[in-house]
Amino acid sequence: LALLGHGNEKHFGKIRLWGAVGWGVGCSAGGVVVTYLGRAAAFYGFAIFIYIALVVMLTLPLKQAFAVKDELNMPLVTEGNEEEQSRQAMSMTTKLATLLRQPSFAVFLGVMVVVGMGATTLQSLLLIFLKDLGAPDWLEGTALTVATVAELPVFHYSSNIIGWEKMGAPGLLVVSIIAFIVRANLVALLQNPYWVLPLQLFHGFTYAGSYAAGVYLAKQSAPPGLEVTAQALFSFCYIGVGGLLGSSIGGVLFDEFGAPNMFRVKSALNFFALVVLCALHVPTRRTVRKWLCV
């Protein structure tokens, strides 16, 4: 967002959609590589492309983009200066405390953990469920491709959705959570694995919508100078904590109660998160009130 410049944050989705393109191309190309050259070749290819990405990243004007004033006016740390290092460490602690003391932001992070749990479940454990239903390998790959394609229009038009007064980032997040609830319950009803393909179209909102809205809300919710820290916390909660809990808890539920019940539990958790978001997250509450007054 810093590279996009002030006032252009809502256009994040138009940049992020190329990550979805890379994911889709990588899945297709990776399947061919593994089939004809073996699994080891895929890892070598990964290393090569990561190196290329690193080289490209080093050409970006990162210093200019992140040259923001330290909101706590802490001096720079110099090697061997333990006192300054201690003060700088306190600075980070203060940053986190400042953000987490805001009730709406704390609620937002908690909700994103739950949303991240659901997103992980429908990314990884879904394929195991399809295999149990007798899905061929090509169907699993096609399901991932459909999900990736579904992300593209949502990422591309997320700036328009966020800029729409009646929707905004809070509205996009609400719609994304509702889409997950619907998708998870429909997946739980699957008996024929081929019906997963139209359901994968929901992925555009359940992942791309929630991600784009989350990035924007994290930026907008942060006090001046704490935007980067807020976005780091969002990513940590959504992808890190949510991903870890989604895989671990989801795996236990899958083994103990079966995939359909696992999806229903995740749906119920997201419904609870949606209620909490609408009740306690101030920007979302305002958006929902606008909808109810129309």
Side-chain angles (χ1 to χ4, degrees):
L1 295 185
L3 288 170
L4 287 174
H6 181 68
N8 295 317
E9 296 88 353
K10 64 183 180 181
H11 295 292
F12 164 79
K14 292 181 179 178
I15 304 299
R16 177 57 181 81
L17 73 84
W18 291 103
V21 172
W23 175 274
V25 173
C27 286
S28 301
V32 175
V33 169
V34 170
T35 300
Y36 292 99
L37 300 177
R39 289 186 175 88
F43 287 100
Y44 288 125
F46 171 80
I48 292 171
F49 282 104
I50 283 294
Y51 178 77
I52 294 173
L54 176 61
V55 172
V56 172
M57 185 189 72
L58 292 176
T59 65
L60 298 175
L62 298 178
K63 288 186 177 180
Q64 295 90 325
F66 291 101
V68 295
K69 182 179 179 181
D70 188 341
E71 67 279 4
L72 296 175
N73 295 317
M74 290 294 179
L76 294 176
V77 177
T78 57
E79 186 176 356
N81 190 332
E82 296 182 358
E83 181 180 356
E84 296 298 346
Q85 291 177 358
S86 176
R87 293 176 67 186
Q88 189 73 2
M90 290 177 61
S91 170
M92 177 54 67
T93 302
T94 305
K95 290 178 183 180
L96 296 176
T98 300
L99 286 169
L100 296 177
R101 276 199 299 265
Q102 299 182 73
S104 285
F105 189 75
V107 168
F108 164 70
L109 291 181
V111 168
M112 295 316 299
V113 168
V114 177
V115 174
M117 290 172 61
T120 301
T121 301
L122 286 174
Q123 282 285 89
S124 55
L125 298 179
L126 174 63
L127 298 182
I128 301 176
F129 179 45
L130 293 178
K131 180 62 70 175
D132 290 344
L133 292 177
D137 292 339
W138 69 264
L139 180 61
E140 295 180 31
T142 303
L144 290 178
T145 301
V146 172
T148 301
V149 171
E151 293 178 19
L152 302 182
V154 178
F155 271 133
H156 181 76
Y157 291 106
S158 61
S159 60
N160 300 82
I161 299 173
I162 291 172
W164 185 22
E165 183 180 356
K166 292 184 178 180
M167 181 67 73
L172 178 57
L173 182 57
V174 168
V175 170
S176 299
I177 296 175
I178 293 174
F180 174 84
I181 294 171
V182 174
R183 181 185 178 192
N185 280 286
L186 291 176
V187 168
L189 297 175
L190 281 179
Q191 294 185 351
N192 184 335
Y194 291 90
W195 279 105
V196 76
L197 295 179
L199 298 184
Q200 288 295 82
L201 296 174
F202 280 97
H203 186 75
F205 280 102
T206 58
Y207 178 74
S210 61
Y211 195 93
V215 167
Y216 187 81
L217 283 172
K219 170 71 164 55
Q220 293 301 107
S221 301
L226 284 175
E227 295 89 348
V228 175
T229 304
Q231 291 167 44
L233 277 174
F234 159 72
S235 296
F236 173 72
C237 290
Y238 181 62
I239 300 174
V241 179
L244 176 63
L245 293 178
S247 296
S248 56
I249 296 176
V252 172
L253 292 173
F254 193 113
D255 289 337
E256 295 295 328
F257 305 104
N261 288 326
M262 176 202 65
F263 287 120
R264 293 186 182 103
V265 170
K266 293 296 182 71
S267 173
L269 287 174
N270 271 262
F271 178 77
F272 175 75
L274 178 62
V275 172
V276 171
L277 184 72
C278 294
L280 301 180
H281 187 244
V282 176
T284 303
R285 188 166 66 230
R286 290 172 181 166
T287 299
V288 173
R289 283 178 178 174
K290 287 182 182 178
W291 293 350
L292 296 177
C293 291
V294 173

